[in-house]
Every structure is written in C-alpha cells, then in structure tokens.
Amino acid sequence: MAEFKGQPRLPEFAVPKHYEIRLKPDLSSFRFAGSVAVDLDIVSSTKAIVLNAAELSITSGSVSFSSKATSEVMKPVTAEAVEADEILILEFPETIPLGIGVLKLEFEGILNDKLKGFYRSAYTINGETKHMAVTQFEPVDARRCFPCWDEPALKATFKITLDVPSQLVALSNMPVTKEEVDGSVKTVFYQETPLMSTYLVAVVVGMLDYVEDHTSDGVKVRVYSQVGKADQAKFALDVAVKTLEFYKSYFSIPYLLPKLDLIAIPDFAAGAMENYGLVTFRETALLFDEQRSAAANKQRVAEVVAHELAHQWFGDLVTMKWWTHLWLNEGFATWMSHLANDNLFPEWKVWTQFLGEFSDALRLDSLEESHPIEVEINHASQIDEIFDAISYQKGASVIRMLHNYLGAEPFQRSIASYVRKYAHSNAKTEDLWTALEEGSGKPVSKLMNLWTKQKGYPIVAVSLVEDQKLKFEQSQFLLNGAASDSQWIVPISSCYGSYGEHKSLLLESKSGTLDIKEFVGSNVVEDSSVWIKLNVAQTGFYRVKYDNDLTARLRTAIEKKYLNDMDRYGILDDAFALCMARQQPLTSLLTLLSSYGQELEYIVLTNLSNICRTVQRIAADATPELLNSVNQFFINLSMNSAKRLGWDPKQGESHLDSMLRGDILTTLSLFGHGPTLTEANKRFQAYLDDRNTPLLPPDIRQATYVAVMQTVSTKNTWGYESLLRVYRETDLSQEKTRVLGALASCPDPDIVLQVLNFLLTPEVRKQDAALGLAVSKEGRETAWKWFKANWENIWQTLGSGSLINRFIKAIVSPLASSEMVKEVENFFQNRTTASTSRTVKQSIEKARINAMWVESIRKETKLAEVVKELANRTY
Ligand code: BES
Ligand code: ZN
C-alpha cells in the first residue's frame, strides 16, 4: 500500500455521502470513544479504502464494509494508520463492489489540550475547575475526532449523536431531535445536516448559560457562555440577529439552518470559527461587559460576529474547492464584515478603519517571502500559515478594489447569483470571477488574475510633466530594495485640488500618461497651489510615489485640511513605506509627519502613532544621541490630541474618540512623557484601591498599564506585581489581555525576562501566550536569547501551529542588526518545519530590512539638524 503514502491528497476511489457519528467524551479521563458509519460511493475499482485519521486508535475488528449492491459484508485484511500522512489505509481481500456501501468503524481518542481536533477547555465555577469538550477542525483536524475524508470538496451530510453526562449542555451544528436520559448519562440525537464540509462539523459539551432571540423568519439564535457570564452575551446576540437579516437581503438567500448558536470558549486558538450553525469564539471576541469592556472590545465583538456569520453563506453554504482558494472564504468574510458593521454602526466609520487592515496587507506583501493570494498547497501542514494578512487583508482589499471598479449594484447582484449557483457545493476563484464578469460585463478575470496569482503589488511613481500631463510608471514595491519584472493592471484614480474632479484610468503597461488640462486649467505646472492625489480613498492595492514638487503641494494641502481622511492616511502610509524601503530619507518622512500636527481623525492618528513608534525604535538603534529630540518631536505632535481628549471620557463623545484616547496615551508613555507617566501611576493606584473607580475607565486601562510598565525596573517592581495581581484577580478575559499586552513593554530587560517566563506558566492560557506580544526595544535581544534557550519548552507547550508562529514573529521581526539576523538564521537552520518555515523566512526578512534601514539612517547627514528643528516646534 506504499503508493498511498506521502501523497498530498486522498485517492478518489471512494466518495463519502453521509456520516453517522457517535461520540462519547469523558471529561475526567480526557478520552473519548466513538463510532462512525459512512455511506460511500465506490466510484472506481479498488481493493483499498484510504481516508484521513490522526491520533485515533481504531478498535481492532471493528472495521467492516457492507456493499448495498451485493449485500456482501467485507472485513479488511489490514488497517494501517500512517501517522506521518494522517491517513488510514484499509486493505480488503478482494476488489470492493462499485456503488454504494457502508463503512463502519469504532475508535478511541484523546481529549487533548492542543486546541485542535476534539479538545478540552478549562473554566471555573465557584472556584472549582471544570472542563468542557470542544471541537476545532479547520483546516485539517476533523481527522483527530473521527476518521473521515477531510477535504473541503468532499461534502456530505452528517447525523451526530452524543453520549454525555446528563447535567451538561451538548451542542452540535443542528437542533436536537431527541434526548434519552439513562441515569448519569444522556444520549442526545441531532437532526441531519445539509451537505457540508468536514472542517465545519462541531460539538461542544459543558456547563453553559445562554441568551436567546430570533430573526424575523424564525431562526432561533442563542449566544452561549460559561455559567455566570450570560449578561455579557447580549451585545453579540443583538448584532447576530441584525446581521443575519442584513446578509439575507444582501445574498438574496436566507440563513438555511433552523438555529444558530454562538458560543464563547475559554481556550480557543483563533479568534472564532464559523462551524455551520455552531460558531465558536474566544471569550474576548464574543463577550462584552457593559461596565468593564472597552469601546475597542465592543467593535471587535461586532466585527468577529459579522465575519463568522458572513461565512455561513460564504464558506459554509458555498465552500472553496481546495485550500488554495482559502482567500475566497477569508478575504470575502473580512470585506463583508465591514459592510455589515458599517450598516449597523455608521458612526464607527469602519471603512475608514479598514485602511489599517489595508496597510497590514501592504506591509506583509512588500516582503519577497510573501505569497500569492492563490497559493499552492502541497501538504496539510502548510495550510495553517496561510491564514495570514494575504488571505484576509489583501483578499479583502482586492475585493474592495474590484467592488469599487464594478460598482455596488452589479457587484451585489453577481455575488447573489454566485451563491445561488454554488450553494451546497464548492467553487474556486475563477468561478467567482466568471460570475462577476457575467454580472458586470467587465473583464474581471483578466484584471484580477494579476492580483491573485502573483505575489506583491506595484508602486506607481507619478510626476507632473510638460503640457499639463501626469506621467506614471509602475514597478513592484519591495522593502528590501529588490527589483522584479512583475506588472499589474492598475486602476488609477486621481483628484485635483479645489477642482474636486476625479479622473480614472487603467494603467495596463509599465508606464502611461494622463492629460489633466481639462481638470486643472492651463497653469498647473506653475501654479503650486494645485495639488494632485492619486488612488482616491485608497481603494487600489498599490502605493504611490510622488515627485518632490507634488509632495510639497500635498504637504501644504494636508496642513490646510484640503484632503479627506482616507487620502491623508494614504499619503502618510506610502511615505512611511518608502522611507523604510530606503527610497526616501528619514528627514522627508519627519517633515511630512510634522504636517499632521492638527490631525483629528482616528485612523490617521493611530497610523501616525504607529509610525512614530516604529521610527523611534529605529532611531534608537541608528542615532541614539538623537533619541531625546525624536521623542520630544513626537510628543509635541501628539499634544493637540492629548489635550483635546484628556484622561476622562466626555459625555456623549464618539466611539472613535473613546478608542483614540488610549492610543494617544500609550504613545505618550512610550515616548517617555513625564506628566502622562505620573498621572497613569496615580490613577492606577486608585484602581488598585477600588476596581470601580471612575478614574480608570476601561478605554484607558491598557494605556495606563503600558505607562505603569515604563516606570518598572528590578529596583521598583511594584507596578509589575500589581499588574500581575490585577491579572490574577479578574475573571474578564479582555482585562487579562490588556495586562498581557502591556507587560513586555517594560524597558528593563530583566523584567522582560520575567514576563516571558510568566507567559509560559499555566497561569497564561496557551492561546494568549504571544497574543499582542510587543517587547520593548531595550528588551529585544534579551527576548531573543530567552527564546533560543527555551525553544524546546516553547515547542512542547505551544505545538507546531499558529501559536508558535505568533511567538516567532513577535520575537524575530523587531530585531534590527545584521549580527542578529545571522544568529537567527543559524538557529533556525535545522529547526524549521513545514508549518513554521514561511513565518521564519518572513520574520528574518523583516529583521534584515530593519538592519538595512538603520544603516541608511546613520548615513543621513542632515538628520540631526532636521530633528532638532522639529523638536522645537509646537502645533
Ligand atoms: N475560519 C477562521 C478561523 C480559523 C483561523 C480556523 C485559522 C483555522 C485557522 C475564522 O473565520 C476567522 O477568520 N477568524 C478570525 C477572526 C476574524 C474576525 C478575522 C480569527 O480567528 O482571527
Ligand atoms: Zn474567517
């Protein structure tokens, strides 16, 4: 049977049609027993049946195949579990009759603690530790719960039965049809599902509370939580019901299952999972506490709920054919969640906030180690790593670009017809393009293939030339300075000063020109008050490099507030990227930053903050003697916002101001602003004395914790110890996350070391160990040494998936010297696996880019002069 080993895909002899699955989890021994009966269609002559199974022991003698055609019952001569390939090979004594038959087998497995397959999650009730049993199957872990054909295109119907302790709640994709109680055990039977993929099957068993509502067409919606947290489920419930109605109208098809459950799971690796009819979440992504959660937490809940509900159509009803098309799921759901949230919460300006995600995508995609949206997958272990900013944020960005190009109405109409056509079935990227092409009459495939089949994106250099013309030239934008021959069809839009005119064109070759006489009159070259902005509202997935003349005009326009928020954002973000790529000096970026001193808009200011923080870290390496002036400049730049927002929430203030306050205070703390640090410590003390003090509302808690950590050292550990106490005492996951996100920002490397060790203790759930981990610049190299020394332990604790990759990225990518890069390369030489290799390569590339950036800044001769001048400005 050697021919079945080492293959990326299952052989196609047998096609599963229906599964009857029975599972009996034991929450004290952490084991489970199960049986499965699969209706198979044997479609080609074979002696072997090959299916997926991993970490399951098949009960010997339990395997049988009964052919419907011949009524023959066959037993395999061998049943070989090949763990390396996660398959089970059943070899029969003779050829299996074609047509339908039933494969039966029994098995046992472990309720593991790895947050995948069928696993256990711990929670406490009245101080007592309890466990729930939970499944997480995407991408390839259904095989850890029951033997199956674990590929997304092999859709089947599922009938599930659970044997559980009678006092517990047991949930699955479909409603319960019947329950039989037999003393301490009950058997729960569920309705059969519609056709669906294995990765969407789900089961949860535990002590649970819920709140309930229903949609206008009678779908019963419940949000489940641990006992005692049901009040925190109300916000998500409201969002879920309204979002279902919104999608029903957008897709022109209602939600098709009779019920929808959303459930908060205390231990959960991802943010949430769109299991059909039973969506699982980490607590921070579903629960909202009116008193103790922050505005950002509220927005996160709405975003994640909307994202997972979008999958109920785009992913669950229509599923990708293979993981190469994962982006169809994730890119689309990411885009769609913004559409839904914008509809529910227009004051959040989620499309403006989307630019943050747009930048995440541009950042990752400017690495040579990026990958195309449609990425080749040859082994199951490669799939985890493509749940990244390319599949999600770049995917969503190219959909936004296309939506803008085709128009909202044709786009929606085509999506609805695509969903109708592929409902209960599978589709690939090309199928979506075909639907959009038919619905819009525009050449969608030709345009989009360039964006999804090749990695990277262009930067368009623009200059003003004689005869009132704009000249464009595209080339791939790479942070490491490498060149390529890649080209794209770039939808270029542009707007012009007070003329308010837009002009668009498709740039289909390397360079092009645009006559703008009719828009700007005849004197644009001489009249420097006319500014020109490309990529209006940043809808195109590219960057723009303006010539010096155009840049100067834009600077003035920004100061005079002539540009709208998305365009102000784009100019800033592109300039920052060009600086990091060493295509423009730091002095130009700093001069541009100084145009933003009057900025009020949330998304522009948060990006400004992020950029200032990165520049500060780089400057600390490149020119430590200028660090004080750099800090002073950034403090001055943040002062207007700081004064406007203060520490205390204003009556009736906007959601965005509530979120911004914490961001500005964090920035000021990181730049060492004395009064902020003092005030933070004072308010923190008040909070320690009374957790209900009005002096520390939820929106500024994390910022305060960061400020407190800036004043902690081995000589003064009060702040650190107090934060650990806050962490230990709270039952609110969002509060724990705030503390964890602040600890490593301490400038004392010895404290950073203590923090890192703390992250690996049982007090921190695995899912949170590297979540939002941002090590101070002073602690970076210590963190790397610690990482090397603890590698075995980290690997043992976190396993090979996304959890460890988060750690690798957080520790490696901030490094900024060529010596460190060498060390990292040596270290990973023989420690990289198929599931970490992309992350390792990307993180090393990022560190190398930092190192080159540091070197180039050291060579800037005018830097000191410019920084000192800027540090003296006020805004
Ligand atoms: N399908 C994913 C969950 C997932 C992620 C499964 C990685 C397996 C591996 C889910 O729809 C998702 O995308 N969740 C996001 C949240 C979302 C709002 C971006 C997540 O987990 O972060
Ligand atoms: Zn998703």
Side-chain angles (χ1 to χ4, degrees), residues 451-578:
W451 295 95
T452 60
K453 288 186 191 291
Q454 63 181 345
K455 66 182 178 186
Y457 60 88
I459 180 156
V460 175
V462 54
S463 47
L464 195 53
V465 293
E466 309 287 280
D467 293 337
Q468 322 295 329
K469 279 191 181 126
L470 286 179
K471 181 166 166 278
F472 308 116
E473 188 158 322
Q474 62 159 305
S475 56
Q476 186 180 354
F477 182 75
L478 284 166
L479 283 171
N480 68 4
S484 84
D485 296 331
S486 301
Q487 277 187 31
W488 289 263
I489 298 183
V490 191
I492 295 189
S493 56
S494 52
C495 61
Y496 306 88
S498 47
Y499 300 90
E501 291 279 345
H502 285 230
K503 173 95 181 152
S504 302
L505 83 154
L506 277 184
L507 180 63
E508 303 206 38
S509 50
K510 179 112 182 109
S511 55
T513 56
L514 178 68
D515 199 328
I516 55 170
K517 217 178 286 152
E518 51 175 312
F519 296 101
V520 293
S522 54
N523 58 348
V524 57
V525 178
E526 292 81 39
D527 182 358
S528 64
S529 73
V530 178
W531 51 265
I532 296 166
K533 165 73 176 52
L534 261 56
N535 200 9
V536 181
Q538 302 299 106
T539 51
F541 196 73
Y542 59 94
R543 295 194 185 278
V544 180
K545 180 179 186 176
Y546 298 93
D547 70 9
N548 289 340
D549 174 24
L550 292 173
T551 304
R553 295 174 189 219
L554 284 171
R555 225 165 27 227
T556 314
I558 290 164
E559 280 162 11
K560 297 196 170 152
K561 303 220 172 83
Y562 287 160
L563 290 150
N564 75 29
D565 47 11
M566 296 205 191
D567 291 323
R568 295 199 300 276
Y569 178 101
I571 292 164
L572 179 63
D573 203 55
D574 288 351
F576 172 56
L578 281 162

Side-chain angles (χ1 to χ4, degrees), residues 274 307-308 311 329-330 333 392:
E274 69 268 25
H307 176 107
E308 304 311 332
H311 279 315
N329 269 10
E330 300 304 349
Y392 283 74

Side-chain angles (χ1 to χ4, degrees), residues 28 116 189 196 233 262 305 335 371 440 472 496 535 665 674 683 806 842:
S28 42
K116 61 184 189 179
F189 300 85
M196 59 185 277
L262 298 87
V305 169
W335 179 82
H371 63 85
S440 69
F472 308 116
Y496 306 88
N535 200 9
L665 291 173
R683 288 180 183 246
R806 247 184 247 151
Q842 289 170 346

Side-chain angles (χ1 to χ4, degrees), residues 747-792:
D748 184 332
D750 291 330
I751 297 287
V752 169
L753 203 59
Q754 291 183 34
V755 170
L756 292 167
N757 284 324
F758 173 68
L759 293 181
L760 292 187
T761 63
E763 279 195 80
V764 179
R765 295 184 192 263
K766 292 175 189 199
Q767 64 188 29
D768 297 328
L771 196 72
L773 177 62
V775 178
S776 64
K777 55 186 185 307
E778 297 83 355
R780 266 176 310 177
E781 303 207 352
T782 305
W784 166 248
K785 287 202 192 84
W786 171 87
F787 188 73
K788 275 199 306 191
N790 287 279
W791 172 255
E792 289 302 326

